[in-house]
Amino acid sequence: MKCIIEYDKYCEFPIQNLPYGVFSTADNPTHRIGVAIGDLILDLKEISHLLNGPYLKNHENVFREETLNGFMGLDKNCWLEARNTLQHLLSGQNPILRDNPELKSKAFVKQNDAIMHLPAKIGDYTDFYSSIHHATNVGIMFRSKENALMPNWKYLPVGYHGRASSVVVSGTPIHRPHGQTLIADGTPPVFGTSKLMDFELEMAFFVGGKTNKLGEPISVKNAQDNIFGFVLMNDWSARDVQKWEYVPLGPFTAKNVGTTISPWVVTTLALEPFVVDNYPQDPEPFAYLKHEDKFNFDIKLEVQLKPEGSNTPTTICRSNYKYLYWTAKQQLAHHTITGCNMNPGDLLASGTISGETSDSFGSLLELSWKGAKPIRLTDGSQRKFLQDGDSVIMQGICKGDDYNIGFGICEGKLLPALSL
Protein backbone atom coordinates (compact mmCIF):
# COMPACT_ATOMS: atom_id res chain seq x y z
CA MET A 1 0.00 0.00 0.00
CA LYS A 2 1.50 3.31 -1.08
CA CYS A 3 0.98 6.00 1.57
CA ILE A 4 0.81 9.79 1.19
CA ILE A 5 3.20 10.01 4.14
CA GLU A 6 6.79 9.04 3.46
CA TYR A 7 8.56 6.80 5.97
CA ASP A 8 11.43 4.36 6.14
CA LYS A 9 10.68 0.91 4.77
CA TYR A 10 10.91 -0.75 8.17
CA CYS A 11 9.53 2.00 10.40
CA GLU A 12 7.28 0.92 13.27
CA PHE A 13 4.19 2.72 12.04
CA PRO A 14 3.50 1.99 8.37
CA ILE A 15 0.05 2.11 6.78
CA GLN A 16 -0.37 -1.58 7.70
CA ASN A 17 -0.21 -0.73 11.43
CA LEU A 18 -2.21 2.43 12.29
CA PRO A 19 -2.18 2.10 16.10
CA TYR A 20 -4.37 4.38 18.22
CA GLY A 21 -3.21 6.70 20.97
CA VAL A 22 -4.13 9.85 22.87
CA PHE A 23 -1.96 12.96 22.59
CA SER A 24 -1.82 16.69 23.13
CA THR A 25 0.56 19.45 22.01
CA ALA A 26 2.07 22.50 23.65
CA ASP A 27 -0.14 24.84 21.63
CA ASN A 28 -3.27 22.71 22.15
CA PRO A 29 -3.44 20.93 25.54
CA THR A 30 -6.72 19.19 24.68
CA HIS A 31 -6.34 15.43 24.66
CA ARG A 32 -7.12 14.04 21.21
CA ILE A 33 -7.25 10.60 19.63
CA GLY A 34 -4.61 10.04 17.00
CA VAL A 35 -3.20 7.36 14.74
CA ALA A 36 0.56 6.91 14.29
CA ILE A 37 1.73 6.95 10.68
CA GLY A 38 5.45 7.18 9.97
CA ASP A 39 6.85 9.82 12.33
CA LEU A 40 3.53 11.72 12.35
CA ILE A 41 0.19 11.51 14.14
CA LEU A 42 -3.08 11.79 12.23
CA ASP A 43 -5.45 13.78 14.48
CA LEU A 44 -8.80 11.99 14.22
CA LYS A 45 -10.63 14.94 15.71
CA GLU A 46 -9.78 16.91 12.57
CA ILE A 47 -11.02 14.22 10.19
CA SER A 48 -13.86 12.67 12.21
CA HIS A 49 -16.34 13.83 9.54
CA LEU A 50 -14.60 11.52 7.06
CA LEU A 51 -15.13 8.45 9.24
CA ASN A 52 -18.73 8.19 8.12
CA GLY A 53 -19.21 4.71 6.69
CA PRO A 54 -22.32 2.61 7.29
CA TYR A 55 -21.18 1.41 10.72
CA LEU A 56 -19.53 4.62 11.95
CA LYS A 57 -21.88 7.30 10.57
CA ASN A 58 -23.77 7.50 13.87
CA HIS A 59 -20.60 7.25 15.98
CA GLU A 60 -18.36 10.03 14.61
CA ASN A 61 -18.41 11.63 18.08
CA VAL A 62 -16.15 8.90 19.52
CA PHE A 63 -13.25 10.32 17.51
CA ARG A 64 -13.71 13.71 19.17
CA GLU A 65 -13.47 12.33 22.71
CA GLU A 66 -10.41 12.58 24.98
CA THR A 67 -9.94 8.83 25.46
CA LEU A 68 -10.39 5.73 23.35
CA ASN A 69 -13.06 4.21 25.62
CA GLY A 70 -15.95 5.23 23.38
CA PHE A 71 -14.33 3.83 20.25
CA MET A 72 -13.21 0.70 22.10
CA GLY A 73 -16.83 0.19 23.15
CA LEU A 74 -18.02 -0.11 19.55
CA ASP A 75 -18.08 -3.52 17.86
CA LYS A 76 -15.61 -5.23 15.53
CA ASN A 77 -17.44 -4.01 12.42
CA CYS A 78 -16.76 -0.42 13.47
CA TRP A 79 -13.11 -1.19 14.22
CA LEU A 80 -12.63 -2.79 10.81
CA GLU A 81 -14.43 0.02 8.99
CA ALA A 82 -12.30 2.63 10.77
CA ARG A 83 -9.11 0.79 9.79
CA ASN A 84 -10.19 0.40 6.16
CA THR A 85 -11.28 4.04 5.94
CA LEU A 86 -8.02 5.32 7.43
CA GLN A 87 -5.96 3.20 5.05
CA HIS A 88 -8.06 4.52 2.15
CA LEU A 89 -7.62 8.14 3.27
CA LEU A 90 -3.86 7.67 3.65
CA SER A 91 -3.51 5.91 0.32
CA GLY A 92 -1.48 7.63 -2.35
CA GLN A 93 -4.38 7.14 -4.78
CA ASN A 94 -6.87 9.08 -2.62
CA PRO A 95 -6.94 12.87 -3.18
CA ILE A 96 -9.02 13.76 -0.06
CA LEU A 97 -5.99 14.33 2.15
CA ARG A 98 -3.29 14.19 -0.51
CA ASP A 99 -4.59 17.23 -2.42
CA ASN A 100 -5.89 19.29 0.50
CA PRO A 101 -2.90 21.13 2.02
CA GLU A 102 -5.08 23.07 4.48
CA LEU A 103 -6.61 19.92 5.96
CA LYS A 104 -3.24 18.15 5.95
CA SER A 105 -1.64 20.99 7.91
CA LYS A 106 -4.34 20.71 10.58
CA ALA A 107 -4.63 16.94 10.63
CA PHE A 108 -0.98 15.88 10.93
CA VAL A 109 1.25 16.48 13.95
CA LYS A 110 4.88 15.47 14.37
CA GLN A 111 5.27 12.74 16.97
CA ASN A 112 8.22 14.65 18.40
CA ASP A 113 5.91 17.60 19.09
CA ALA A 114 3.28 15.49 20.84
CA ILE A 115 2.77 14.69 24.51
CA MET A 116 1.41 11.18 24.87
CA HIS A 117 -1.19 10.18 27.49
CA LEU A 118 -2.83 6.99 28.65
CA PRO A 119 -4.92 5.78 25.70
CA ALA A 120 -7.99 4.99 27.83
CA LYS A 121 -9.52 5.54 31.22
CA ILE A 122 -8.63 2.21 32.80
CA GLY A 123 -11.41 1.10 35.10
CA ASP A 124 -9.91 -2.23 36.09
CA TYR A 125 -6.54 -3.90 35.61
CA THR A 126 -5.80 -7.62 35.88
CA ASP A 127 -2.38 -9.26 35.71
CA PHE A 128 -2.03 -12.89 34.65
CA TYR A 129 0.86 -15.34 35.04
CA SER A 130 0.71 -16.98 31.61
CA SER A 131 4.32 -17.77 30.67
CA ILE A 132 5.20 -21.37 31.48
CA HIS A 133 8.93 -20.65 31.31
CA HIS A 134 8.66 -17.73 33.74
CA ALA A 135 6.44 -19.65 36.15
CA THR A 136 8.81 -22.63 36.01
CA ASN A 137 11.89 -20.48 36.64
CA VAL A 138 10.33 -18.77 39.64
CA GLY A 139 9.06 -22.09 40.97
CA ILE A 140 12.53 -23.65 40.75
CA MET A 141 14.10 -20.69 42.53
CA PHE A 142 11.66 -20.58 45.42
CA ARG A 143 10.58 -24.24 45.68
CA SER A 144 12.31 -26.95 43.64
CA LYS A 145 12.56 -28.26 40.11
CA GLU A 146 10.18 -31.09 41.03
CA ASN A 147 7.55 -28.66 42.38
CA ALA A 148 8.14 -25.70 40.07
CA LEU A 149 4.54 -25.31 38.90
CA MET A 150 1.71 -25.15 41.39
CA PRO A 151 -0.97 -27.86 40.87
CA ASN A 152 -3.47 -25.39 39.37
CA TRP A 153 -1.13 -23.72 36.86
CA LYS A 154 -1.85 -25.91 33.81
CA TYR A 155 -5.59 -25.99 34.50
CA LEU A 156 -6.39 -22.27 34.60
CA PRO A 157 -4.84 -18.90 33.74
CA VAL A 158 -3.59 -17.76 37.16
CA GLY A 159 -4.05 -14.03 37.77
CA TYR A 160 -4.72 -11.31 40.31
CA HIS A 161 -6.50 -7.97 40.35
CA GLY A 162 -3.99 -5.13 40.06
CA ARG A 163 -4.24 -1.41 40.73
CA ALA A 164 -5.51 0.63 37.77
CA SER A 165 -4.69 4.02 39.30
CA SER A 166 -0.93 3.41 39.14
CA VAL A 167 -0.87 2.41 35.46
CA VAL A 168 1.14 5.15 33.73
CA VAL A 169 2.17 5.98 30.19
CA SER A 170 5.70 5.49 28.87
CA GLY A 171 8.12 8.16 30.05
CA THR A 172 6.62 8.49 33.53
CA PRO A 173 9.31 7.95 36.22
CA ILE A 174 8.73 5.53 39.09
CA HIS A 175 10.03 6.04 42.66
CA ARG A 176 11.60 3.18 44.55
CA PRO A 177 8.97 2.19 47.11
CA HIS A 178 9.01 1.67 50.85
CA GLY A 179 7.69 -1.48 52.44
CA GLN A 180 8.17 -4.32 54.86
CA THR A 181 10.82 -6.91 54.04
CA LEU A 182 12.26 -9.96 55.74
CA ILE A 183 16.05 -9.92 56.06
CA ALA A 184 16.31 -13.53 57.22
CA ASP A 185 13.89 -16.33 57.97
CA GLY A 186 12.94 -16.54 61.63
CA THR A 187 13.60 -12.85 62.30
CA PRO A 188 11.08 -10.00 62.53
CA PRO A 189 10.52 -7.94 59.36
CA VAL A 190 12.04 -4.50 58.89
CA PHE A 191 10.57 -1.39 57.26
CA GLY A 192 12.52 0.58 54.68
CA THR A 193 13.11 1.05 50.97
CA SER A 194 12.94 -1.91 48.64
CA LYS A 195 16.40 -3.22 47.80
CA LEU A 196 15.32 -5.63 45.05
CA MET A 197 13.51 -3.58 42.40
CA ASP A 198 12.81 -5.35 39.15
CA PHE A 199 11.06 -4.97 35.81
CA GLU A 200 8.67 -7.46 34.24
CA LEU A 201 8.45 -7.73 30.46
CA GLU A 202 4.77 -8.08 29.65
CA MET A 203 2.13 -7.28 27.08
CA ALA A 204 -1.46 -6.35 27.78
CA PHE A 205 -4.69 -5.98 25.86
CA PHE A 206 -7.53 -3.50 26.16
CA VAL A 207 -11.04 -4.88 26.44
CA GLY A 208 -13.58 -3.51 23.97
CA GLY A 209 -16.70 -4.36 22.05
CA LYS A 210 -20.19 -4.98 23.36
CA THR A 211 -19.04 -6.36 26.67
CA ASN A 212 -20.89 -8.75 28.94
CA LYS A 213 -23.48 -8.01 31.58
CA LEU A 214 -22.94 -9.09 35.16
CA GLY A 215 -23.58 -12.83 35.37
CA GLU A 216 -22.93 -13.53 31.69
CA PRO A 217 -19.51 -15.06 30.80
CA ILE A 218 -17.69 -14.22 27.58
CA SER A 219 -17.35 -17.35 25.45
CA VAL A 220 -13.81 -18.32 24.50
CA LYS A 221 -15.08 -18.92 20.95
CA ASN A 222 -16.00 -15.24 20.54
CA ALA A 223 -13.54 -13.65 22.96
CA GLN A 224 -11.58 -12.01 20.12
CA ASP A 225 -14.57 -9.70 19.58
CA ASN A 226 -13.80 -8.16 22.98
CA ILE A 227 -10.05 -7.73 22.45
CA PHE A 228 -9.42 -4.30 20.95
CA GLY A 229 -5.63 -4.18 20.83
CA PHE A 230 -2.30 -4.64 22.59
CA VAL A 231 0.36 -2.55 24.33
CA LEU A 232 3.79 -3.23 25.80
CA MET A 233 3.96 -3.28 29.59
CA ASN A 234 6.55 -3.05 32.35
CA ASP A 235 4.96 -4.19 35.60
CA TRP A 236 7.53 -2.87 38.10
CA SER A 237 8.06 -5.25 41.02
CA ALA A 238 9.61 -4.88 44.48
CA ARG A 239 10.77 -8.47 44.88
CA ASP A 240 11.74 -8.29 48.55
CA VAL A 241 8.45 -6.64 49.54
CA GLN A 242 6.52 -9.20 47.50
CA LYS A 243 8.30 -12.16 49.06
CA TRP A 244 7.18 -11.09 52.56
CA GLU A 245 3.64 -9.97 51.78
CA TYR A 246 2.30 -12.30 49.09
CA VAL A 247 1.32 -15.19 51.40
CA PRO A 248 -1.56 -15.92 51.57
CA LEU A 249 -3.35 -13.51 49.21
CA GLY A 250 -0.77 -12.75 46.53
CA PRO A 251 0.92 -9.57 45.22
CA PHE A 252 -0.16 -6.27 46.78
CA THR A 253 2.01 -3.19 47.50
CA ALA A 254 5.02 -4.76 45.76
CA LYS A 255 3.14 -4.38 42.47
CA ASN A 256 1.05 -1.22 42.91
CA VAL A 257 4.16 0.99 42.85
CA GLY A 258 3.66 1.47 39.12
CA THR A 259 2.86 -0.23 35.83
CA THR A 260 4.15 1.37 32.62
CA ILE A 261 2.49 0.86 29.23
CA SER A 262 3.40 2.02 25.74
CA PRO A 263 1.16 4.82 24.42
CA TRP A 264 0.15 3.20 21.11
CA VAL A 265 -2.52 0.49 21.01
CA VAL A 266 -1.79 -1.92 18.15
CA THR A 267 -5.09 -3.42 17.07
CA THR A 268 -5.72 -7.13 16.81
CA LEU A 269 -6.58 -6.46 13.15
CA ALA A 270 -3.03 -5.24 12.50
CA LEU A 271 -1.58 -8.33 14.20
CA GLU A 272 -3.54 -10.87 12.13
CA PRO A 273 -0.72 -11.46 9.58
CA PHE A 274 1.58 -12.48 12.43
CA VAL A 275 -0.62 -15.14 14.00
CA VAL A 276 1.17 -18.39 14.93
CA ASP A 277 0.21 -21.69 16.54
CA ASN A 278 -1.02 -21.54 20.11
CA TYR A 279 1.36 -22.98 22.69
CA PRO A 280 0.75 -26.73 23.14
CA GLN A 281 -1.34 -27.37 26.27
CA ASP A 282 -1.24 -30.57 28.30
CA PRO A 283 -3.57 -31.53 29.91
CA GLU A 284 -6.30 -30.45 27.53
CA PRO A 285 -8.12 -27.39 28.92
CA PHE A 286 -11.69 -27.55 30.14
CA ALA A 287 -14.28 -26.90 27.44
CA TYR A 288 -14.84 -23.27 28.51
CA LEU A 289 -11.11 -22.57 27.85
CA LYS A 290 -10.68 -24.57 24.66
CA HIS A 291 -10.44 -22.90 21.25
CA GLU A 292 -9.09 -24.29 17.99
CA ASP A 293 -8.41 -20.99 16.21
CA LYS A 294 -4.93 -19.51 16.47
CA PHE A 295 -4.67 -16.52 18.78
CA ASN A 296 -0.96 -16.31 19.43
CA PHE A 297 1.37 -13.81 17.74
CA ASP A 298 4.99 -13.62 16.66
CA ILE A 299 5.94 -10.39 18.43
CA LYS A 300 9.68 -10.03 19.00
CA LEU A 301 10.29 -8.36 22.36
CA GLU A 302 13.42 -6.68 23.66
CA VAL A 303 14.46 -5.07 26.95
CA GLN A 304 17.29 -2.57 27.29
CA LEU A 305 18.72 -1.20 30.53
CA LYS A 306 20.39 2.23 30.56
CA PRO A 307 22.16 3.48 33.71
CA GLU A 308 21.85 7.14 34.64
CA GLY A 309 24.36 9.26 32.75
CA SER A 310 25.00 6.60 30.13
CA ASN A 311 24.23 7.07 26.45
CA THR A 312 24.61 3.38 25.70
CA PRO A 313 21.79 1.06 26.73
CA THR A 314 22.46 -2.66 27.05
CA THR A 315 20.08 -5.20 25.54
CA ILE A 316 19.58 -7.70 28.37
CA CYS A 317 16.58 -9.69 27.11
CA ARG A 318 15.15 -10.89 23.80
CA SER A 319 11.86 -12.71 24.15
CA ASN A 320 8.65 -13.27 22.17
CA TYR A 321 4.93 -13.03 22.87
CA LYS A 322 4.44 -16.48 21.30
CA TYR A 323 5.97 -18.11 24.40
CA LEU A 324 2.77 -17.54 26.40
CA TYR A 325 1.07 -20.77 27.45
CA TRP A 326 -2.40 -19.22 27.95
CA THR A 327 -3.83 -17.10 25.11
CA ALA A 328 -5.53 -13.75 25.54
CA LYS A 329 -8.83 -15.40 24.61
CA GLN A 330 -8.41 -17.93 27.41
CA GLN A 331 -7.46 -15.19 29.87
CA LEU A 332 -10.63 -13.26 29.06
CA ALA A 333 -12.87 -16.34 29.09
CA HIS A 334 -11.55 -17.46 32.47
CA HIS A 335 -11.80 -13.94 33.93
CA THR A 336 -15.51 -13.85 33.08
CA ILE A 337 -16.52 -17.48 33.69
CA THR A 338 -18.00 -16.37 37.03
CA GLY A 339 -20.04 -13.72 35.23
CA CYS A 340 -17.58 -10.95 36.07
CA ASN A 341 -18.56 -7.99 33.88
CA MET A 342 -15.90 -6.26 31.77
CA ASN A 343 -15.88 -2.68 30.51
CA PRO A 344 -14.29 -0.99 27.49
CA GLY A 345 -10.84 0.20 28.55
CA ASP A 346 -10.23 -2.56 31.09
CA LEU A 347 -6.62 -3.75 30.86
CA LEU A 348 -5.58 -7.43 31.04
CA ALA A 349 -1.86 -8.21 31.20
CA SER A 350 0.02 -11.35 30.24
CA GLY A 351 2.42 -11.63 33.14
CA THR A 352 6.18 -11.81 32.61
CA ILE A 353 7.06 -13.27 29.19
CA SER A 354 10.12 -15.54 29.29
CA GLY A 355 11.45 -17.94 26.71
CA GLU A 356 13.41 -21.16 27.10
CA THR A 357 16.92 -19.68 26.97
CA SER A 358 18.56 -17.54 29.65
CA ASP A 359 18.83 -14.50 27.37
CA SER A 360 15.04 -14.55 26.86
CA PHE A 361 14.08 -14.32 30.54
CA GLY A 362 11.73 -11.38 31.10
CA SER A 363 12.89 -10.14 34.52
CA LEU A 364 16.11 -9.48 36.40
CA LEU A 365 14.99 -12.02 38.99
CA GLU A 366 15.48 -14.67 36.29
CA LEU A 367 18.28 -13.06 34.29
CA SER A 368 20.47 -12.82 37.42
CA TRP A 369 18.94 -16.00 38.86
CA LYS A 370 17.92 -14.33 42.14
CA GLY A 371 21.18 -12.34 42.21
CA ALA A 372 23.55 -15.31 41.82
CA LYS A 373 24.56 -14.40 38.23
CA PRO A 374 24.98 -10.61 37.85
CA ILE A 375 24.29 -9.09 34.43
CA ARG A 376 27.22 -7.17 32.91
CA LEU A 377 26.31 -3.93 31.10
CA THR A 378 28.21 -2.29 28.24
CA ASP A 379 29.55 0.44 30.54
CA GLY A 380 31.26 -2.24 32.64
CA SER A 381 28.85 -2.12 35.56
CA GLN A 382 26.81 -5.07 36.79
CA ARG A 383 23.21 -5.54 37.84
CA LYS A 384 21.48 -8.07 40.03
CA PHE A 385 18.47 -5.79 40.43
CA LEU A 386 17.71 -2.22 39.38
CA GLN A 387 19.66 0.73 40.76
CA ASP A 388 18.34 4.28 41.18
CA GLY A 389 18.63 6.17 37.91
CA ASP A 390 18.29 3.07 35.74
CA SER A 391 15.97 3.37 32.76
CA VAL A 392 14.19 0.28 31.44
CA ILE A 393 13.30 0.43 27.74
CA MET A 394 11.02 -2.15 26.12
CA GLN A 395 10.26 -2.57 22.43
CA GLY A 396 8.15 -4.95 20.38
CA ILE A 397 8.30 -5.62 16.64
CA CYS A 398 6.43 -7.89 14.22
CA LYS A 399 8.59 -8.47 11.15
CA GLY A 400 6.67 -8.81 7.90
CA ASP A 401 8.02 -9.64 4.45
CA ASP A 402 8.15 -6.00 3.41
CA TYR A 403 7.19 -4.01 6.51
CA ASN A 404 7.29 -3.99 10.32
CA ILE A 405 4.58 -3.50 12.90
CA GLY A 406 5.86 -1.74 16.02
CA PHE A 407 4.46 -0.77 19.41
CA GLY A 408 6.67 2.24 20.10
CA ILE A 409 8.66 2.58 23.29
CA CYS A 410 7.70 1.50 26.80
CA GLU A 411 10.20 3.34 28.98
CA GLY A 412 10.46 4.24 32.62
CA LYS A 413 13.20 5.51 34.94
CA LEU A 414 13.62 4.35 38.53
CA LEU A 415 14.02 7.33 40.86
CA PRO A 416 15.28 7.22 44.46
CA ALA A 417 12.72 6.62 47.21
CA LEU A 418 11.03 9.70 48.63
CA SER A 419 11.91 10.70 52.18
CA LEU A 420 9.21 9.81 54.68
Side-chain angles (χ1 to χ4, degrees), residues 196-267:
L196 306 181
M197 279 299 293
D198 201 355
F199 67 85
E200 292 186 350
L201 170 62
E202 305 193 23
M203 294 196 69
F205 67 86
F206 278 100
V207 173
K210 302 300 182 183
T211 50
N212 59 320
K213 297 178 181 178
L214 181 64
E216 299 178 0
I218 293 174
S219 167
V220 72
K221 294 179 175 59
N222 304 316
Q224 69 277 358
D225 296 345
N226 293 114
I227 299 175
F228 177 78
F230 291 78
V231 292
L232 299 171
M233 172 181 283
N234 177 5
D235 195 20
W236 302 81
S237 182
R239 298 294 184 186
D240 45 357
V241 175
Q242 183 175 346
K243 182 181 178 182
W244 172 240
E245 74 175 2
Y246 85 102
V247 177
L249 295 181
F252 185 37
T253 64
K255 304 301 288 291
N256 68 19
V257 56
T259 301
T260 306
I261 64 172
S262 53
W264 296 108
V265 185
V266 177
T267 63

Side-chain angles (χ1 to χ4, degrees), residues 224-336:
Q224 69 277 358
D225 296 345
N226 293 114
I227 299 175
F228 177 78
F230 291 78
V231 292
L232 299 171
M233 172 181 283
N234 177 5
D235 195 20
W236 302 81
S237 182
R239 298 294 184 186
D240 45 357
V241 175
Q242 183 175 346
K243 182 181 178 182
W244 172 240
E245 74 175 2
Y246 85 102
V247 177
L249 295 181
F252 185 37
T253 64
K255 304 301 288 291
N256 68 19
V257 56
T259 301
T260 306
I261 64 172
S262 53
W264 296 108
V265 185
V266 177
T267 63
T268 309
L269 293 167
L271 293 176
E272 285 180 351
F274 304 95
V275 70
V276 294
D277 290 337
N278 301 330
Y279 199 95
Q281 295 181 333
D282 182 24
E284 184 176 290
F286 286 107
Y288 81 94
L289 289 172
K290 189 175 180 181
H291 65 94
E292 301 298 336
D293 59 312
K294 297 178 183 180
F295 206 78
N296 198 10
F297 303 99
D298 182 10
I299 306 171
K300 294 173 173 58
L301 303 171
E302 182 176 289
V303 181
Q304 296 180 328
L305 196 155
K306 185 173 71 172
E308 188 167 35
S310 173
N311 294 321
T312 309
T314 302
T315 299
I316 59 174
C317 166
R318 289 185 175 91
S319 189
N320 197 301
Y321 182 87
K322 68 183 179 182
Y323 296 142
L324 290 179
Y325 186 90
W326 295 105
T327 70
K329 290 181 60 165
Q330 290 173 318
Q331 292 164 13
L332 186 56
H334 182 66
H335 199 313
T336 65

